[in-house]
Amino acid sequence: MAKTKPAPVESETAIRVRALEAILIEKGLIDPKAIDALVDTYETKVGPRNGAKVVARAWFDPAYKQRLLADATSAIKELGFSGMQGEDMVVVENTDSVHNVIVCTLCSCYPWPTLGLPPVWYKSAPYRARTVSDPRGVLKEFGTILPEDVEVRVWDTTAELRYLVLPKRPAGSEALGEEALAALVTRDSMIGVTVL
Amino acid sequence: MTGTETCANGAVSPLLSERLPIADDPALKFAEPWEAKAFAIIVKLAEDGVIAWPDWVACFSREVAKATAAEARGETPKSYYAQWLDAAETILVEKGVTSREQLLARRFAAGSVGSGHTMA
């Protein structure tokens, strides 16, 4: 079991990172200010609210939904969110007969521009292994029980392709505007482990 | 648990029975500043074209596979960002940006006491 221990002044790991950073700065490969700005972006600006706006727009505007399903990279860019590594986005739509779940079996590839950084469980070995071998069992742990006749599709994210689930619009949300719709969308529903 | 569930190599795979760590941090901030820095260094180098993202994913995946194998053996795997840092050093050495010797020398210069911590 992991024991809690008092934090040292600077851990060996922190020193390793500082050493690596110093070498890269010396070689002119990174600018410390750019590194700080990037950390700030990921800590405060990029997150599942971005994805929720994409989903709400798709629910609200059928033409946008069509563009999103045909070319997600461009449609997501329309809202100002774009890939950091130029990877392509694919949006997979949940329907009455199909439910989609995303995973990265090899590491932790994740649609950063729309969801931010992945949760701990997404990166965990059990999730990476079991989403493929037993997707319904995984969904059940999130409290998601789907009818037997719904097909569960698992999408394995790669370096080049990142998936985002377009959840089913909740019943009773017909009268809501785009902003109110976005407030209904959760991170987990866009990973596909829950439904709305 | 009957102990008869085995994976291909004959070893029991705890990965297939373990529950998911669902109760995680909602804020998803980095736990320590070095994690954020290690993450940002790689993302920035990829953005600037110093390393190709697919090369990074391949390198990082190897570290993740090592940690997954350790976890399957019942050992405590390295943390996610420790795996990330190992992969970061490896890819930068592989690309000729730095060397193991330079990394080690710089660590000592940066105050490492080198208390039995070997190069990853």
Side-chain angles (χ1 to χ4, degrees):
Chain A
M1 295 300 284
K3 288 178 195 150
T4 48
K5 52 186 176 187
V9 176
E10 187 179 25
S11 71
E12 284 289 321
T13 317
I15 290 173
R16 269 174 71 192
V17 176
R18 200 149 59 81
L20 184 63
E21 187 188 24
I23 291 169
L24 295 169
I25 291 171
E26 244 174 48
K27 290 180 184 280
L29 291 171
I30 57 169
D31 170 359
K33 279 189 195 138
I35 295 296
D36 291 344
L38 206 139
V39 169
D40 183 56
T41 296
Y42 276 94
E43 285 202 320
T44 63
K45 297 186 180 74
V46 180
R49 288 302 95 209
N50 291 3
K53 285 180 190 160
V54 171
V55 169
R57 175 67 59 86
W59 286 342
F60 197 71
D61 176 351
Y64 181 78
K65 180 175 156 183
Q66 242 175 12
R67 291 202 296 283
L68 184 67
L69 294 175
D71 179 359
T73 310
S74 303
I76 289 169
K77 214 173 199 168
E78 280 179 43
L79 300 193
F81 316 129
S82 61
M84 301 291 169
Q85 290 78 40
E87 72 281 356
D88 280 319
M89 293 284 307
V90 173
V91 169
V92 285
E93 184 186 15
N94 285 350
T95 64
D96 289 337
S97 55
V98 174
H99 180 88
N100 300 284
V101 187
I102 60 173
V103 65
C104 173
T105 55
L106 283 182
C107 49
S108 53
C109 296
Y110 189 71
W112 291 346
T114 42
L115 295 186
L117 296 173
V120 170
W121 54 260
Y122 183 87
K123 300 182 282 190
S124 74
Y127 183 77
R128 288 185 286 111
R130 288 186 37 216
T131 301
V132 175
S133 66
D134 177 25
R136 279 180 190 270
V138 167
L139 293 179
K140 203 172 164 188
E141 283 186 46
F142 285 90
T144 305
I145 296 165
L146 299 168
E148 279 305 311
D149 60 349
V150 172
E151 181 195 346
V152 178
R153 290 188 190 157
V154 177
W155 301 88
D156 194 356
T157 304
T158 67
E160 289 88 13
L161 272 187
R162 302 195 182 196
Y163 299 95
L164 182 76
V165 175
L166 176 59
K168 274 170 64 184
R169 184 171 174 161
S173 66
E174 292 76 12
L176 297 179
E178 204 172 321
E179 209 168 306
L181 285 172
L184 299 177
V185 184
T186 62
R187 177 196 69 197
D188 290 358
S189 72
M190 293 182 281
I191 300 175
V193 292
T194 59
V195 291
L196 297 173
Chain B
M1 188 72 186
T2 61
T4 56
E5 294 160 83
T6 59
C7 53
N9 62 9
V12 173
S13 173
L15 300 183
L16 299 179
S17 56
E18 201 179 313
R19 290 182 69 83
L20 306 173
I22 290 175
D24 68 347
D25 49 330
L28 296 174
K29 296 278 166 74
F30 298 98
E32 293 183 54
W34 71 260
E35 296 184 349
K37 196 151 271 188
F39 171 81
I41 284 172
I42 289 299
V43 173
K44 194 78 191 75
L45 290 175
E47 276 181 13
D48 293 347
V50 177
I51 53 176
W53 193 252
D55 290 349
W56 163 252
V57 169
C59 181
F60 182 47
S61 295
R62 286 196 294 274
E63 290 302 329
V64 172
K66 274 191 230 168
T68 305
E71 197 171 340
R73 288 194 300 270
E75 297 164 15
T76 303
K78 287 187 180 182
S79 76
Y80 179 77
Y81 284 107
Q83 296 164 36
W84 183 284
L85 176 58
D86 284 352
E89 289 181 342
T90 299
I91 198 167
L92 291 169
V93 168
E94 279 175 8
K95 299 280 174 201
V97 173
T98 182
S99 64
R100 293 284 175 198
E101 294 72 24
Q102 188 179 32
L103 283 170
L104 198 53
R106 193 49 74 101
R107 278 186 211 170
F108 280 112
S112 166
V113 291
S115 55
H117 293 264
T118 52
M119 293 293 285

